[in-house]
Amino acid sequence: MSDILEDNELEKKTKKKSDQSKLKARLRDLEFFTEVIPDGVVIINNQLIVEATNESAQSLLGLPEDSTGKSFEEFVKVARLNSYVRGDSQQEPLEFTSPVQKDSTLEARLFNVDKETKVVIVRDITTLNRLLTMRQSFVANVSHELRTPLTVVKGYLETMVDESAPQDLRLSLIKKLKAPVNRMESLVQDLLLLTQLESNPVPPEMDKIDMTELIQSAYNEVQGLLGEKGFLVINNNSDAKIKGISAELSSVCINLISNAIRYSPDGANIEVSWAKTEQGKARLAVQDRGLGIAKEHLDRITERFYRVDMKDSRARGGTGLGLAIVKHVLRRHNSELQVKSRVGEGSLFFCDFEIVQ
Ligand code: ADP
């Protein structure tokens, strides 16, 4: 009888041991899991005493490694977060400024594990917020850019259908419709191009491009913009070929040359050149003697819809997307747009490419 009891006891002990080692193994897995995830995890009890943290939580909230057993509030001096973790898990996530990096925004979510234990998950939402703001301002910009020519078209149409308006005025408005309609068309084209550049991967095999041909056809396309006395000099000092996407490089040439013309007084000279650099690369350069750009704007002119002078640029027929397109295209060609400019003296836009044989 006592033998059987002993056997049972032994069985129970062995089972307990194996349960404990299973639990330990699970805890190790869990610990490993919480260490590899980028979100911060803090386990606290009802008195807000820290039971466990992972590395991300320590760096996001500035918690010391040995915070276990101590009060959460002792280390995290964010009043809103502390009152949030005191609440229950039904609440909405909480957004707050990082106590470690003032320009970062964090989000906390609270979960009740059981009556005693809570888990706080913290993540950095700075980039997400920035993207959301960018998207909102992009949509607002596009709507604004379209609304202006649309209002003009609407105004003209109202007069055109008004039978009491003089006949010659009504007829003359037909011609005037062209400008705002063209403007909307350019904007839609530029938007489509930008979207394509962002969504299409760079093809694995690029074409061999003769830039002198592309420069010449860009010149033919923008010639109409040049005032009567204007001068556009093309210096093809090199027959260097590069690898690239013809349509995209063509839009780089057209955008840079048309900007040079639009931001120069009538009759000013523009110089476009294609030449080898001392570093053995090929350089496309567009030099104008126009308005120039003040230093504080130079870093921002490739942002979508950024203009030095909003009204003036629109009046000159820009969409505000030209240099954003140029920047994207060049990035896809392992190149970068560089600018040297002085207000009242003019600007030099240039970019270098690897030469291929
Ligand atoms: P936009 O269609 O308004 O010209 P871009 O993206 O092509 O838009 O250029 C952004 C801004 O950079 C312009 O609005 C203008 O203020 C400035 N800019 C671009 N090119 C020149 C230039 N060659 N000379 C002076 N300012 C320029």
Side-chain angles (χ1 to χ4, degrees):
M1 182 73 171
S2 75
D3 271 1
I4 297 175
L5 266 180
E6 267 176 25
D7 275 359
N8 268 349
E9 220 30 56
L10 198 70
E11 215 173 275
K12 266 190 198 163
K13 268 189 185 162
T14 329
K15 191 170 176 298
K16 201 173 167 192
K17 251 190 177 172
S18 107
D19 282 353
Q20 270 176 350
S21 63
K22 267 189 201 157
L23 197 67
K24 269 189 187 157
R26 282 208 60 193
L27 275 175
R28 260 201 314 274
D29 286 350
L30 208 66
E31 216 172 310
F32 173 72
F33 170 71
T34 54
E35 283 312 331
V36 293
I37 59 170
D39 290 356
V41 182
V42 184
I43 303 175
I44 47 173
N45 69 13
N46 273 345
Q47 277 70 52
L48 307 197
I49 301 298
V50 177
E51 293 188 348
T53 59
N54 69 351
E55 245 179 65
S56 304
Q58 291 157 17
S59 64
L60 285 170
L61 296 173
L63 284 169
E65 244 178 87
D66 62 354
S67 55
T68 310
K70 295 174 187 154
S71 164
F72 181 78
E73 292 166 300
E74 186 184 322
F75 300 111
V76 185
K77 303 280 183 219
V78 182
R80 285 176 59 234
L81 178 62
N82 289 334
S83 72
Y84 178 76
V85 297
R86 261 181 252 124
D88 73 352
S89 64
Q90 303 301 317
Q91 315 165 69
E92 291 282 304
L94 174 82
E95 249 185 68
F96 59 100
T97 305
S98 156
V100 181
Q101 255 181 315
K102 292 288 168 237
D103 54 353
S104 296
T105 309
L106 305 182
E107 182 194 75
R109 275 167 303 152
L110 183 71
F111 301 96
N112 284 342
V113 180
D114 52 35
K115 279 187 191 151
E116 296 292 312
T117 322
K118 300 171 175 201
V119 175
V120 189
I121 310 281
V122 184
R123 62 181 185 142
D124 190 332
I125 55 164
T126 317
T127 317
L128 193 75
N129 272 4
R130 204 173 290 149
L131 285 174
L132 269 177
T133 316
M134 265 170 66
R135 200 179 67 179
Q136 281 162 354
S137 77
F138 181 66
V139 173
N141 274 324
V142 172
S143 319
H144 185 77
E145 294 295 329
L146 283 172
R147 198 166 48 206
T148 318
L150 257 179
T151 313
V152 176
V153 169
K154 198 171 164 220
Y156 289 164
L157 285 176
E158 272 164 12
T159 314
M160 281 160 72
V161 295
D162 177 3
E163 286 174 6
S164 66
Q167 187 70 4
D168 52 346
L169 172 70
R170 290 165 69 190
L171 282 174
S172 72
L173 290 182
I174 297 178
K175 268 194 197 155
K176 285 194 169 177
L177 281 174
K178 210 171 161 192
V181 169
N182 282 350
R183 190 161 149 202
M184 287 191 278
E185 192 184 26
S186 310
L187 183 67
V188 172
Q189 273 170 355
D190 278 359
L191 281 170
L192 282 176
L193 182 56
L194 252 187
T195 315
Q196 272 172 15
L197 290 173
E198 280 174 345
S199 52
N200 290 358
V202 182
E205 222 6 84
M206 301 235 235
D207 297 326
K208 197 169 179 180
I209 307 283
D210 183 344
M211 279 298 274
T212 56
E213 275 177 19
L214 284 193
I215 294 171
Q216 188 57 47
S217 54
Y219 167 75
N220 295 340
E221 233 178 273
V222 299
Q223 218 179 8
L225 286 175
L226 212 56
E228 269 182 15
K229 292 174 278 149
F231 231 115
L232 199 130
V233 183
I234 300 184
N235 291 323
N236 282 326
N237 295 330
S238 166
D239 60 358
K241 310 278 187 299
I242 59 170
K243 284 264 176 182
I245 305 160
S246 175
E248 293 184 11
L249 291 169
S250 187
S251 87
V252 169
C253 298
I254 292 173
N255 275 308
L256 293 182
I257 303 176
S258 69
N259 276 358
I261 300 173
R262 284 188 294 112
Y263 296 104
S264 296
D266 252 5
N269 288 359
I270 317 283
E271 200 176 313
V272 184
S273 66
W274 180 243
K276 262 193 183 173
T277 67
E278 281 173 7
Q279 290 75 32
K281 292 197 165 190
R283 174 169 296 179
L284 168 71
V286 180
Q287 166 91 64
D288 67 57
R289 309 265 168 236
L291 303 183
I293 304 162
K295 214 170 154 199
E296 65 268 25
H297 297 291
L298 283 180
D299 282 346
R300 302 202 55 193
I301 52 173
T302 55
E303 286 174 22
R304 296 156 180 208
F305 297 114
Y306 186 86
R307 281 117 157 185
V308 173
D309 180 336
M310 192 64 87
K311 255 192 168 164
D312 177 70
S313 289
R314 282 216 195 100
R316 289 170 192 265
T319 61
L321 295 172
L323 292 182
I325 292 173
V326 170
K327 181 171 98 174
H328 263 284
V329 171
L330 292 181
R331 196 183 290 157
R332 285 159 69 85
H333 288 78
N334 291 326
S335 179
E336 196 186 354
L337 183 66
Q338 304 195 56
V339 192
K340 285 183 181 160
S341 190
R342 261 171 198 264
V343 176
E345 289 182 22
S347 313
L348 169 69
F349 286 79
F350 63 97
C351 45
D352 297 344
F353 300 90
E354 290 297 337
I355 298 176
V356 289
Q357 297 314 315

